[in-house]
Amino acid sequence: MIALRHITKRFRDGERQVEVLRDLELTVPRGTFTAVVGASGSGKSTLLYVAGALDADYDGEAVVAGKDLKALSARERAAFRNASVGFVFQSFNLLPALPAVENTMLPGLFVPPGSKAPSLGQLRGRALEALDRVGLADKAARLPGRLSGGERQRVAIARALLSRPAVLLADEPTGNLDAVSGEAVIQLFSAMVRDGVTVLVVTHEERVSAAAGQVLHLEEGRLR
Amino acid sequence: MRLRSLVHLATLNLRSDARGTVVNTAAACVGAAALVFFVALGMGVGQAARLMFPGDARLVEVVPGAVSLGAALGGGALDDAAVGRLRELPGVEGAWRRLSLRVPIAASRAPEGVRMNWPVGFTVQVPVVGVDAGLVASDLAPGGKFVDPPAGQAIPVLASRRLLEVYNKTIAPAWNLRRLPPGLDLVGLQIPVQVGFSIIPLKTEDKVYDARLALAGLSDRVPLYSLAVPVETVRRLHVEYGKADAGYSSVVLEVGRPDDVPAVASAVRRMGFAVDEGERAIAERVGLAITVTAGALALLALLMTALAALAIAQSLSASVRGRTRDIAILQSLGATAGDVRALVLAEAGLVGLAGGVVGVGIAWAAARGVDAAAIGLLPDFPFRPTTFFLFPPWIFALGVGVSAAAALLGALAPAALAARVDPARAIS
Ligand SMILES: Nc1ncnc2c1ncn2[C@@H]1O[C@H](COP(=O)(O)OP(=O)(O)O)[C@@H](O)[C@H]1O
Ligand SMILES: [Mg+2]
């Protein structure tokens, strides 16, 4: 589950301080699908980076997948992202030079020392499985540039699934997709929720929120 | 991040930027090639020079001091008492006498058993020097003896190893004479001579008789244009011909450690004798010149390697700046700052290794090319080496190691730059 308490995030803009999140509270119960809707610039991405331990510079308390993020070192945050979080972005964020299967394998390369690391062969097998689950087994060898937007986003989802994370965080996952591809992505999220994954999607599109169990609105740094 | 994963990802990244990889590998390879080429050249030429000028760093040649001064001090002459005192000097392990023969000896026929087109009526004066057997013991052919023989038997002689080379490479071709076979095949060769005969009529002694010299070996400790016989033989001939022995021509001191040579030399001078720097000084000067030249070239090569490291640093920095988003993506997937740093270093390290291997190969090929060209272009001269390069196994490790180290050094700043990427800023 995701529990954010009294989260305040400020950006320094020259002399001025801009408060993007203001004493924000958020609870996403385990195995549920929550959508946060807000206008562009309202702080949705900022919220997601806090929950995903990409950003550690904020006030308040964040407990995600059983970890108090404030208590983690930079190295532990990386291990946390590797093991417990799957990210999906509007712009897919695939490495353009790597074929789909290599992109999908990436999280397996950063398994921290101490935990059991799969061999490259095992990793490839797991990546192909994940690609199969999103319906792209036959396009595993393709470079991202030779895939459609919807296919790229499904590769990104396969990559997010590789480490079987407890939490999936998606930032405008359908923003660059046509209606049909967007629907497929939402279907995949729903399937993950059924498997017990906690899903938090931030978006400004109503069609995503339709599939969510909880829809919250981000306005003036707070959720309502 | 495990090494296997690191290498996997680094390889993928290098492959995806094939152009940059080739350019950086070329930069790394130029430095490694130059370094290995010049170091191998320096060592090869050094070895050739040591064959040409086999100066022994542990030998000190003592000669009589200036006559007037020596007489005044009661010293000067290198007699047996002086040899005894020289032998007692600290650091000296052996004192070997040399005595030039003052009775002329000449050869007017070819050595026995050698098919040689000896010119008719041609007589060579043979300069002879008597030496202690100890000085040349290690150069004697197996089983050979270097002692004054009973009357009527052949006198053992040692020739300069270099004389054979000089004869074969310059004298024989110039005079259209047959070349002699290599060293050991010549041992036992008997040379008929006339004792007491000189090509200068005035110097011919009243008594002239036939004798034979038998080659007992080749030595670097024999002066280039003379033959060495046992010192006792010289003394016997001097007695036979009524020549007074005022003292030895020189005494060769063998010093235990080369570092002690200067101290021994000054002790010798304090005793009223002089030190003949001759051959050793030449060898040292040649060796120094080669070391300095090779060192300067190697330094130049190191400079090229440093420039290669700078070029790699430059291009890697640009590459890291262009990849901040990719780096942030890796961080979102669990890469630590250390992983990111290691990845950039691994990419550079692989480029350095590849450049080093290619560079060493190029250096080796270039050396073979130079050797082949030299054989075609240079005339045959004494001690002409078959190769001007020396490639001991460690030189390959040196080339690859220096290239990899330079690439890693160049990658330090770009790697730090990469490790500082803030994922929350760079990912969107
Ligand atoms: N690194 C930053 N420095 C300064 N201001 C920032 C930074 N990142 C985001 N912001 C500001 O914070 C606000 C929220 O940004 P963001 O969370 O990206 O909004 P959203 O995702 O809802 O469009 C915006 O006004 C943006 O300009
Ligand atoms: Mg956003």
Side-chain angles (χ1 to χ4, degrees):
Chain A
M1 85 158 198
I2 301 169
L4 305 185
R5 302 280 169 260
H6 307 299
I7 299 292
T8 298
K9 171 75 187 179
R10 300 179 187 88
F11 285 110
R12 220 176 312 269
D13 182 13
E15 296 286 280
R16 275 186 332 126
Q17 288 239 340
V18 187
E19 232 171 46
V20 177
L21 304 178
R22 226 172 267 161
D23 203 24
L24 177 141
E25 301 284 325
L26 169 66
T27 305
V28 182
R30 198 182 147 181
T32 64
F33 188 162
T34 293
V36 169
V37 184
S40 178
S42 59
K44 303 184 299 292
S45 297
T46 305
L47 167 64
L48 212 67
Y49 299 159
V50 169
L54 274 178
D55 190 350
D57 178 26
Y58 54 86
D59 292 331
E61 188 185 84
V63 178
V64 180
K67 285 258 168 34
D68 178 4
L69 301 187
K70 268 271 144 113
L72 301 181
S73 67
R75 187 187 288 266
E76 288 166 335
R77 281 199 297 279
F80 167 79
R81 292 194 296 268
N82 185 255
S84 306
V85 182
F87 283 103
V88 175
F89 299 92
Q90 174 174 10
S91 49
F92 321 127
N93 278 353
L94 300 176
L95 298 195
L98 305 192
V101 64
E102 293 287 354
N103 260 292
T104 310
M105 284 163 68
L106 284 173
L109 298 180
F110 298 109
V111 171
S115 39
K116 209 162 79 66
S119 73
L120 286 178
Q122 285 170 330
L123 203 52
R124 192 172 299 273
R126 271 171 47 193
L128 289 171
E129 260 171 52
L131 285 172
D132 190 36
R133 243 186 300 163
V134 299
L136 285 175
D138 55 331
K139 291 178 177 163
R142 288 220 192 155
L143 288 174
R146 301 205 39 232
L147 294 170
S148 74
E151 287 167 338
R152 282 184 226 181
Q153 196 58 301
R154 274 144 67 199
V155 172
I157 292 170
R159 184 176 70 185
L161 286 173
L162 187 86
S163 311
R164 304 192 169 279
V167 173
L168 185 99
L169 304 174
D171 191 349
E172 311 266 15
T174 57
N176 279 344
L177 303 183
D178 58 64
V180 178
S181 302
E183 186 54 38
V185 165
I186 293 163
Q187 295 279 314
L188 283 169
F189 288 170
S190 301
M192 288 163 69
V193 171
R194 282 195 295 278
D195 288 345
V197 178
T198 306
V199 176
L200 173 60
V201 179
V202 300
T203 180
H204 65 274
E205 289 185 56
E206 292 295 333
R207 62 173 171 167
V208 180
S209 49
Q214 175 183 223
V215 180
L216 302 166
H217 292 268
L218 182 57
E219 276 168 40
E220 291 170 354
R222 286 201 179 84
L223 287 169
R224 61 190 90 196
Chain B
M1 191 177 189
R2 282 161 231 229
L3 187 64
R4 193 161 20 81
S5 309
L6 190 63
V7 172
H8 177 74
L9 196 51
T11 316
L12 286 174
N13 282 346
L14 289 175
R15 212 182 297 159
S16 71
D17 179 21
R19 250 188 63 133
T21 302
V22 167
V23 169
N24 285 341
T25 306
C29 129
V30 170
L35 183 68
V36 169
F37 183 85
F38 289 136
V39 171
L41 178 64
M43 288 194 302
V45 172
Q47 173 173 276
R50 273 192 299 283
L51 282 175
M52 237 181 262
F53 305 101
D56 190 332
R58 293 164 56 233
L59 297 186
V60 174
E61 187 166 358
V62 181
V63 291
V67 177
S68 56
L69 191 67
L73 293 177
L78 278 169
D79 49 20
D80 284 317
V83 173
R85 279 186 288 139
L86 287 168
R87 189 173 281 130
E88 295 307 313
L89 285 177
V92 170
E93 293 191 341
W96 319 111
R97 302 166 296 172
R98 271 188 191 155
L99 181 56
S100 300
L101 180 64
R102 282 180 288 137
V103 179
I105 288 188
S108 49
R109 275 182 288 146
E112 290 161 14
V114 177
R115 290 208 305 110
M116 225 181 135
N117 42 351
W118 188 278
V120 180
F122 179 69
T123 299
V124 215
Q125 204 69 44
V126 185
V128 171
V129 61
V131 302
D132 265 326
L135 181 66
V136 292
S138 57
D139 297 319
L140 285 177
K145 279 213 191 75
F146 197 67
V147 291
D148 187 32
Q153 283 190 23
I155 300 167
V157 294
L158 285 165
S160 165
R161 189 178 55 77
R162 291 181 289 158
L163 178 61
L164 179 67
E165 177 78 15
V166 171
Y167 171 83
N168 274 341
K169 294 289 171 68
T170 55
I171 299 175
W175 292 58
N176 205 15
L177 300 171
R178 286 174 65 97
R179 292 176 189 216
L180 294 172
L184 279 180
D185 292 357
L186 283 173
V187 170
L189 186 79
Q190 303 241 337
I191 308 154
V193 292
Q194 284 178 291
V195 178
F197 182 82
S198 173
I199 51 173
I200 302 163
L202 269 177
K203 294 214 164 174
T204 298
E205 301 285 342
D206 295 338
K207 178 174 145 194
V208 174
Y209 62 91
D210 288 334
R212 276 171 302 131
L213 306 179
L215 193 65
L218 298 172
S219 173
D220 284 329
R221 292 178 170 185
V222 172
L224 184 56
Y225 289 108
S226 62
L227 294 178
V229 301
V231 70
E232 293 79 15
T233 307
V234 172
R235 301 187 85 167
R236 174 168 60 81
L237 290 173
H238 281 178
V239 170
E240 205 175 308
Y241 282 87
K243 309 269 181 198
D245 274 336
Y248 300 104
S249 325
S250 69
V251 175
V252 179
L253 300 183
E254 188 162 346
V255 181
R257 300 186 315 121
D259 297 351
D260 290 339
V261 164
V264 168
S266 52
V268 165
R269 288 194 188 98
R270 277 198 303 276
M271 286 170 68
F273 302 116
V275 173
D276 185 352
E277 300 283 357
E279 291 246 319
R280 190 163 55 83
I282 292 177
E284 271 169 16
R285 271 202 298 277
V286 169
L288 187 68
I290 289 169
T291 307
V292 166
T293 312
L297 291 173
L299 219 61
L300 187 75
L302 278 178
L303 198 73
M304 290 167 76
T305 312
L307 286 178
L310 273 181
I312 289 174
Q314 189 100 39
S315 91
L316 260 184
S317 291
S319 146
V320 163
R321 259 182 234 110
R323 284 195 289 167
T324 44
R325 188 193 178 85
D326 286 6
I327 290 165
I329 293 169
L330 296 182
Q331 287 173 320
S332 80
L333 299 174
T336 62
D339 289 340
V340 171
R341 181 182 299 117
L343 186 61
V344 175
L345 290 176
E347 288 174 22
L350 288 174
V351 162
L353 281 179
V357 169
V358 174
V360 164
I362 289 175
W364 193 82
R368 290 291 86 92
V370 168
D371 279 343
I375 281 174
L377 296 175
L378 293 181
D380 199 9
F381 56 86
F383 298 102
R384 190 183 79 168
T386 51
T387 174
F388 289 92
F389 300 86
L390 217 54
F391 283 95
W394 59 260
I395 210 173
F396 298 101
L398 174 84
V400 176
V402 165
S403 165
L408 284 177
L409 214 65
L412 283 180
L417 189 71
R420 276 202 303 273
V421 169
D422 175 3
R425 266 166 199 263
I427 204 155
S428 41

